[in-house]
Amino acid sequence: MPRYVVFGQPVGHSRSPAIHRAFAAQCGLALRYDRCEVAPAAFAEVARDFFARGGAGANVTLPHKAAALALADVADPAARRAGVANVLTPVAGGLHAHNTDGAGLVRDLHERQRLTLEGRRALLLGAGGAARGVAWNLLDAGLAELLVVNRTERAAAELVARLEDPRAAAAPWSALAEAAPFDLVIHATAAGVLGQPLALPSGLVAAGGLAYDLSYGSAAAPFLAWAARAGVAACDGLGMLVEQAAEAFAIWHGVRPATDPVYAMLRASMPVAASLA
């Protein structure tokens, strides 16, 4: 039976096994999918051993996404430009790294949240691996403007420089109120995961706009609470999680499963459903 795994630390929360098992059942496939908690210092060795023993594919979550890209022998354009990977696949001569996060986010925004990105103003809060994993896809989807804001201003400026797109700009956190409003506000910082306070002005989201947290579950709670206080529509990243998993499933099995039934199954079990994998 083909073996798949999700690597992370922590990883006990991950819904990836349930998602991929549901996809496999839907498509009439048999597979084994497990969690593997591994410390950063041991990730490369453990991942190589998994594939050496016949592993068919791996999802990668925090804090190993940059290490996953470094481990690979070849990478798709999305992983190369983001500098992080969330999927590893064995190929002749080594490992192929992929990044499906951005594609998953855009698909969830378009098809589940019914938000057209073309011509919109978007704010990206954060400039780390999560933000890098989605920034290019947002621009590719037709945004008119993408403002990147991070507590460390240098990181935001570096991401914008890598984007090499005149529609992207960086700004200090203190300029948020002045730059508002935005049609889409995406929260990609680790504040929720780390339990840190989230200080945001109330007028960030334009009328009819959306606040979106890339996390799901408890890590998304502070941002969703801010959105509720601000009186704006908001959602967590559960839909993105399912959509990026479907992209990985298609890479491994050559068929893209239906995501709505799996999303509904997960949402029923976690009404405010986080981590990034």
Side-chain angles (χ1 to χ4, degrees):
M1 185 178 295
R3 292 181 58 228
Y4 299 85
V5 71
V6 55
F7 292 114
Q9 189 185 49
V11 77
H13 66 276
S14 177
R15 305 285 171 155
S16 292
I19 292 171
H20 282 272
R21 290 167 191 159
F23 286 161
Q26 182 188 121
C27 297
L29 300 175
L31 59 79
R32 174 179 171 183
Y33 194 114
D34 300 307
R35 300 179 182 91
C36 180
E37 180 152 341
V38 56
F43 169 73
E45 180 182 356
V46 171
R48 286 195 187 99
D49 182 67
F50 170 76
F51 287 108
R53 293 173 179 269
N59 289 120
V60 183
T61 186
L62 296 176
H64 305 311
K65 291 187 177 184
L69 180 63
L71 184 66
D73 301 280
V74 63
D76 68 7
R80 285 198 306 271
R81 65 188 184 180
V84 291
N86 70 326
V87 179
L88 289 171
T89 306
V91 294
L95 293 175
H96 192 156
H98 317 263
N99 193 306
T100 63
D101 284 333
L105 170 62
V106 170
R107 193 173 185 110
D108 185 49
L109 287 170
H110 281 169
E111 299 192 5
R112 190 166 288 108
Q113 308 305 329
R114 303 299 181 188
L115 181 66
T116 300
L117 295 177
E118 188 170 353
R120 302 277 192 166
R121 294 189 77 223
L123 170 65
L124 182 58
L125 297 168
R132 295 198 307 271
V134 303
W136 279 268
N137 296 79
L138 291 167
L139 290 168
D140 290 346
L143 287 180
E145 181 183 348
L146 177 65
L147 185 67
V148 181
V149 173
N150 192 65
R151 294 188 188 280
T152 304
E153 294 179 34
R154 180 178 176 180
E158 288 174 350
L159 173 54
V160 168
R162 290 185 62 182
L163 289 170
E164 296 183 328
D165 192 305
R167 295 171 295 164
W173 201 275
S174 59
L176 279 174
E178 180 181 333
F182 298 89
D183 302 301
L184 174 64
V185 175
I186 296 177
H187 180 232
T189 81
V193 175
L194 299 176
Q196 297 174 342
L198 191 63
L200 295 170
S202 60
L204 284 184
V205 184
L210 177 69
Y212 193 109
D213 198 309
L214 297 189
S215 296
Y216 60 94
S218 60
F223 183 73
L224 297 181
W226 164 80
R229 292 192 299 271
V232 299
C235 65
D236 65 11
L238 184 63
M240 171 183 164
L241 173 72
V242 175
E243 298 299 338
Q244 65 81 23
E247 297 287 334
F249 191 91
I251 290 168
W252 293 333
H253 305 288
V255 58
R256 198 180 198 284
T259 54
D260 283 347
V262 179
Y263 174 82
M265 174 190 73
L266 293 177
R267 181 57 77 197
S269 68
M270 40 194 283
V272 179
S275 215
L276 291 169

